[in-house]
Amino acid sequence: MSFTKAASDEKAIATIRCLAADVVAKSNSGHPGAPMGMAPLAHLLWSRYMTANPKHSKWINRDRFVLSNGHACTLLYIMNHLMGYKDMPMEQLKQFRQLDSKTPGHPEANHTEAVEVTTGPLGQGFANSVGLAIAQANLAATFNKDGFPLFTNYTYMFTGDGCLQEGISSEAASLAGHLKLGNLIAFYDDNHISIDGDTACSFTEDVEQRFLAYDWHVLHVLDGDKDIEGIYKAIEEARKVTDKPSLIRIKTTIGFGSKQQGLAATHGAPLKADDIEAVKEKFGMDPKEKFVVPEDVYEAYRQVGERGAKADAEWTEMFKAYGEKYPKEHAEVARRIAGKLPEGWQKALPTYSPSDPAVASRKLSETVLGKLAEAIPELVGGSADLTGSNLTRWGNAVDFQHPSTQLGDYSGRYIRYGVREHAMGAIMNGLHAYGMHIPTAGTFLNFVSYAIGAVRLSALSQFRAIWVATHDSIGLGEDGPTHQPVETAIALRAIPNLMFWRPADGNETSAAYLVAIESASTPSVLALSRQNLPQLEGSSIEKAAKGGYVLTETQSADITLVATGSEVAICNEAVAKLAEKGIKARLVSMPCFEVFDAQPLEYRLSVLPSGKPILSVEAYSPLGWSKYAHVSHGMDNTFGKSAPAPELFKAFKMTGPDVAAKAEHVVKAFKGKELTSPIELAKLMEVA
Amino acid sequence: MSFTKAASDEKAIATIRCLAADVVAKSNSGHPGAPMGMAPLAHLLWSRYMTANPKHSKWINRDRFVLSNGHACTLLYIMNHLMGYKDMPMEQLKQFRQLDSKTPGHPEANHTEAVEVTTGPLGQGFANSVGLAIAQANLAATFNKDGFPLFTNYTYMFTGDGCLQEGISSEAASLAGHLKLGNLIAFYDDNHISIDGDTACSFTEDVEQRFLAYDWHVLHVLDGDKDIEGIYKAIEEARKVTDKPSLIRIKTTIGFGSKQQGLAATHGAPLKADDIEAVKEKFGMDPKEKFVVPEDVYEAYRQVGERGAKADAEWTEMFKAYGEKYPKEHAEVARRIAGKLPEGWQKALPTYSPSDPAVASRKLSETVLGKLAEAIPELVGGSADLTGSNLTRWGNAVDFQHPSTQLGDYSGRYIRYGVREHAMGAIMNGLHAYGMHIPTAGTFLNFVSYAIGAVRLSALSQFRAIWVATHDSIGLGEDGPTHQPVETAIALRAIPNLMFWRPADGNETSAAYLVAIESASTPSVLALSRQNLPQLEGSSIEKAAKGGYVLTETQSADITLVATGSEVAICNEAVAKLAEKGIKARLVSMPCFEVFDAQPLEYRLSVLPSGKPILSVEAYSPLGWSKYAHVSHGMDNTFGKSAPAPELFKAFKMTGPDVAAKAEHVVKAFKGKELTSPIELAKLMEVA
């Protein structure tokens, strides 16, 4: 197709630029420069290529758009306004960055319609888009049939200098090149400005060469301010190359049209009123009018929306015909679009009894994943180059690889992420965001920290990403303190809408997967042991699914012990030792704080009642435990050590006898004292 | 210089390979493959180039060596053994990965002599080495004089595939290329194997081209298993290029000599006994002997050590002569080598009284940094492209830039890191590790998370890195929940040997810097507000330097409020509101948990006594506060919102009236109840 200029093109671009200036000026906060600079690109992309239905924003085969430089969100909101999404009337543009508006300071998925992923923290959107592209490629390879191209959408992504400086984008770009994701087209807004000024002060690498090194298809447009035909041609070229992702570098002028165009001054602060008037005059708009969209610009975008609606309708017809020819696949696709799990999938979860052998919880997790991979076809696996350690790959898994590599194919559901934890987390977010996958992936618990920027966005975005975080404590042994996560659990517990699970045995591991899979809007991190754990008397999936429960009840107990993961069995031993000394102890297993906290107050109080002291035991920094316990036994002021695991548990006083001795000391210290359970404090607050 | 083969070369290489196999076999845990593959490189580098004095491992102008692929640490320990460091007798090699040995599973700085930085978490060492190279370049530009080349050392770094996949290495490499650090020479051990197997499964980028894109000088050696002359020539070439860092890609065979050479099997597990015997036979060693170093190999390395000792002695002579000609600079260098702070530097810290105007603590920090930059010449500044927001750059700062850029020079002490938080953290670690700088650097508190992998290594390594973490809460306002750190403080508080400071006013900001600078073995994160904070009645540097103190005492109080940062002034308002209602409240300011926890128990109990309820107030997730308080008022299950800050404080009930209402509710809930302070629980435990 050759390029045809439309009568409304110039006016539409001017409209976007002036609206961006108006929006940021009204809120008196935000970033006008990048939206003004990227207006021609955005207009060209939406008007000529974007296939999306504003009346049905969740249509599954829509093109995905990701604004990785999320601070430029005014642009995205304006485009969504022009497209006519119901969430985005002009009133919302006037409410930019105001309380509870649909136009927050950075784009938030599951908050604003037609915002696919949450961006702003730089580089995240870049990696999300790789996840979206993997999802499309996987679905196409799995479900497309001759004459039925169900999944054909592109993922378009805008990125700026900041995103490309962040390591996460390097990780994601290297992997995307390896995977030959031809359905991904990235636009690099090369405006030479970041907050510190000209990028010459810190960012002088050759970005085109770097992406060639990643095996991307690289193009450029030298005048992104005016040459929309050049942008068009570049996109045409990009779409022709189907076995490489494309990067189109577009040189633009930040704040184009402003008196301060090309300067950092336009990056993160509103333009002055007289400057905005001058901009409008320059672009042929009325300098005195604000928030103006000429009718012919609306009309042009109405046609874009109609093009999308038509494509959606045609797709629906095709999908119906597909159902006649491929009823099984049709049902599967329909189920996954509806977000329903397969009937009875929970039956796949194994249960254990105390006579079953001791097994490492990473190994228990492997068993669960093997069964779930069969029961839940939308489950995707992977690891950051620790497959053999995380035990994340099920027996007959196929790797997600470009078929030319002969290492797998695009229908594969196991992703070799390489040593790229941060990108892995953000790619999981992209996989979830597409809407038809449940991503799981493994690394050591300690290195979930490398990805915490993506983990927090899973939680904020309400994306179900499941981390298989093995080697969960000093139990990892010889690798030593560089690899022993004493603080990671606490960091994860502090993140809202995230479940941190640390199962103590097989039943609890099954419970963790049960709740993680059932929680469609909440990510989970499963902390799993390297070392063997015995199957506990008194555990069950049902009980553990409450987050915390009494494992061993004892009448008139002198003390309650509460523990997680590998320390539960240690406490079990301590309870026996204490009994020998005539001290009666109860034992509570607390695999997930967040789920326990959501139980009714009376239940929580029955698990952790007032009266006798409560002692927590966990081989982590004890911070946070005083919300349940009066005394915390943990790893104080240490990162652990390098030695065989059994020696470490001894060195850090995490054995049955050590815990018994500590418990005995606690009982003695608090003798005759009536102690209020922290849960009871909450109850008092509630009833007051 | 041309290459001359030494008689002992082959034997030395064989010795290193066989020792690596023995060490890992004895511990039955570790990574033999990479050390065996890199043995020729290590031998060539140490025997021909490394200038270091095993009798004086802290000699300031020694060459720095960084093993970024830290899992290959057997190699480093073997080289340090051959060099004759007192920490590393053969006995220590036999204690590899055993409790409290000098040979932990990954190299730990400040634990083992001649281990410059802590590595193992992949990519960290790569970025550390950039910090070490910056330090050298800065000292050379500052102190070297004609005829007195005081600072001339190289930084040599080994890196593997894993490090190069991690985003942090991309960030650091891009910056190192920009800065033209010709004193940095990296060796890429290209062995084509990572844990998941052949790197073909996930890492197929063109590494050489990527580094050319970063403007590095790139070389390769195609047979790193045997061609030590090739390695020699590559190093010669690398040293000739003084305005670019060099990457030498060396193709090696992992586990070279083993029956399983070239396979992932040799990566992370000991070789079998018969295989080790075969290796020894192959390399002309006695297959039955273990831990053998032939005398001529020891002798060769004795000569390497003597070369280093001679260089050290010559340097000492030169430094003495330098002192005669440049007494001021000499004193300065000597002071900084000794790790002493300038006399009376604390006087530079400003103090405030309640009549002084309200100022944002980021702005208070700017004032402090300006004064400290003058008083403490070893202080280095910087920001991850947020200079104008973090306010980290003092008035007359010079940027650290290659002089050819005309943007600064190498004597500059302000680093433009670009949007590269993770590398920034690790580069700060390198700057500290060199031994003559105090690194500080800024980003938003929320994005310290991106660097948490480096932050934890600051703490583990006992490196004083100081983070200027501005925009510390919902007070950042319109940028919204993607940028509002509700969990970051808790994550940082859980890291051992790290101080998290959240000052409430000017005096507390000075106190935070006072303690941070004085704590030479502890990193700090200073959380600073975007919004203005009033100067508090009752605050002082001295009191705040205790971590927590009574800001407002009230006799027979009904409740104690305890808060940090911007919430202290809010609580002040609440105290007044409560007084109107006849409720008496005490107010405790708690700028730093870690420092408060280190105070004597009696002091802590005087601040947070038993009896009446204690209510904590902080605009973060409340996790962790129950160690001090009975009830916590915080941000439950939310990441914040996008809106002007004052509206957010209202929306999240963080205003004076809101806190007063909550406090009133607490007083009512606990009326007549004698409550035990959490500190008293600790006291009971101590005395029991």
Side-chain angles (χ1 to χ4, degrees), chain B residues 43-54:
Chain B
H43 171 66
L44 191 281
L45 178 65
W46 259 264
S47 63
R48 305 310 199 275
Y49 292 102
M50 192 70 72
T51 306
N53 182 0

Side-chain angles (χ1 to χ4, degrees), chain A residues 29 31 97-100 104-108 118-122 124 162 165-168 170-171 174-175 178 194-197 200-206 209-210 212-214 383 385-388 401 407 416-422 446-447 449-450 452-453 456-457 459-460 478-479 481-487 490-491 493-496 621 623-624 626-627 630-631 637-639 641-644 647-648 651 662 665-666 668-670 673 675-676 681 684-685 688, chain B residues 29 31 97-100 104-108 118-122 124 162 165-168 170-171 174-175 178 194-197 200-206 209-210 212-214 383 385-389 401 407 416-422 446-447 449-450 452-453 456-457 459-460 478-479 481-487 490-491 493-496 621 623-624 626-627 630-631 637-639 641-644 647-648 651 662 665-666 668-670 673 675-676 681 684-685 688:
Chain A
S29 166
H31 303 76
R97 296 186 153 216
Q98 303 308 304
L99 196 64
D100 295 326
H106 293 85
E108 296 173 30
T118 304
T119 56
L122 293 171
Q124 297 290 337
Q165 290 172 67
E166 292 285 6
I168 183 176
S170 298
E171 295 177 5
S174 177
L175 185 61
H178 167 76
S194 63
I195 293 179
D196 271 19
C201 78
S202 65
F203 188 56
T204 49
E205 64 176 47
D206 182 334
Q209 189 175 16
R210 173 177 145 205
L212 287 170
Y214 297 142
S383 166
D385 193 46
L386 285 169
T387 296
Q401 297 277 7
L407 297 169
R416 304 281 185 172
Y417 285 100
V419 192
R420 304 181 179 105
E421 298 83 2
H422 202 175
N446 192 53
F447 298 113
S449 301
Y450 267 42
I452 204 87
R456 114 183 272 276
L457 289 184
L460 173 55
E478 292 90 343
D479 275 347
T482 54
H483 288 55
Q484 288 163 1
V486 297
E487 79 287 9
I490 294 89
R493 285 170 179 151
I495 295 180
S621 156
L623 192 72
S626 41
K627 70 189 263 192
H630 302 102
V631 180
N637 299 317
T638 174
F639 287 96
K641 290 183 174 194
S642 168
E647 287 186 44
L648 292 176
K662 179 77 171 247
H665 184 74
V666 172
K668 192 175 150 207
F670 297 101
K673 218 169 154 67
L675 288 166
T676 312
L681 295 176
L684 287 169
M685 279 296 292
Chain B
S29 166
H31 303 76
R97 296 188 152 213
Q98 302 308 303
L99 196 64
D100 294 326
H106 294 85
E108 296 173 30
T118 304
T119 56
L122 293 171
Q124 297 289 337
Q165 290 172 68
E166 292 283 7
I168 183 175
S170 297
E171 294 176 7
S174 177
L175 184 61
H178 168 76
S194 64
I195 293 179
D196 271 19
C201 79
S202 65
F203 188 55
T204 49
E205 64 176 47
D206 182 334
Q209 187 174 17
R210 173 177 145 204
L212 288 170
Y214 298 142
S383 166
D385 193 47
L386 285 168
T387 296
S389 301
Q401 297 278 6
L407 297 169
R416 303 281 184 172
Y417 285 101
V419 192
R420 303 181 180 106
E421 298 84 3
H422 202 176
N446 192 54
F447 297 113
S449 302
Y450 266 43
I452 204 86
R456 111 183 276 276
L457 289 184
L460 173 55
E478 292 90 342
D479 275 347
T482 54
H483 288 54
Q484 288 162 1
V486 297
E487 79 287 7
I490 294 90
R493 284 171 180 151
I495 295 180
S621 157
L623 192 72
S626 41
K627 71 190 261 194
H630 301 103
V631 180
N637 300 317
T638 174
F639 287 95
K641 291 183 174 193
S642 169
E647 287 186 45
L648 293 176
K662 180 78 172 245
H665 184 73
V666 172
K668 192 176 148 205
F670 297 102
K673 214 166 159 68
L675 288 166
T676 312
L681 295 176
L684 286 169
M685 280 295 293

Side-chain angles (χ1 to χ4, degrees), chain A residues 129-147:
Chain A
S129 72
V130 175
L132 286 162
I134 290 173
Q136 187 279 327
N138 176 255
L139 293 166
T142 308
F143 294 111
N144 286 6
K145 305 279 182 191
D146 254 5

Side-chain angles (χ1 to χ4, degrees), chain A residues 502-652:
Chain A
R502 190 165 184 245
D505 71 353
N507 292 328
E508 290 197 3
T509 303
S510 288
Y513 275 103
L514 173 73
V515 182
I517 298 274
E518 277 182 342
S519 306
S521 307
T522 303
S524 300
V525 177
L526 277 54
L528 302 164
S529 74
R530 178 187 183 216
Q531 75 275 25
N532 286 345
L533 307 179
Q535 308 307 326
L536 300 166
E537 178 82 48
S539 78
S540 73
I541 294 181
E542 193 192 352
K543 283 193 264 182
K546 290 185 173 172
Y549 63 101
V550 182
L551 187 74
T552 312
E553 193 52 278
T554 312
Q555 293 309 307
S556 338
D558 302 298
I559 187 168
T560 294
L561 304 183
V562 52
T564 72
S566 47
E567 285 76 81
V568 178
I570 290 166
C571 285
N572 235 341
E573 207 187 318
V575 169
K577 291 238 175 288
L578 288 165
E580 288 168 17
K581 297 198 169 194
I583 298 172
K584 292 193 239 170
R586 304 167 70 239
L587 176 52
V588 170
S589 180
M590 184 72 74
C592 183
F593 281 27
E594 299 75 24
V595 171
F596 178 71
D597 290 349
Q599 302 303 320
L601 219 154
E602 289 304 328
Y603 173 76
R604 284 182 282 144
L605 199 53
S606 76
V607 174
L608 297 171
S610 285
K612 299 298 178 180
I614 301 169
L615 171 66
S616 72
V617 180
E618 190 176 54
Y620 294 145
S621 156
L623 192 72
W625 269 105
S626 41
K627 70 189 263 192
Y628 301 133
H630 302 102
V631 180
S632 297
H633 184 61
M635 309 245 311
D636 285 299
N637 299 317
T638 174
F639 287 96
K641 290 183 174 194
S642 168
E647 287 186 44
L648 292 176
F649 280 93
K650 271 182 216 156
F652 291 105

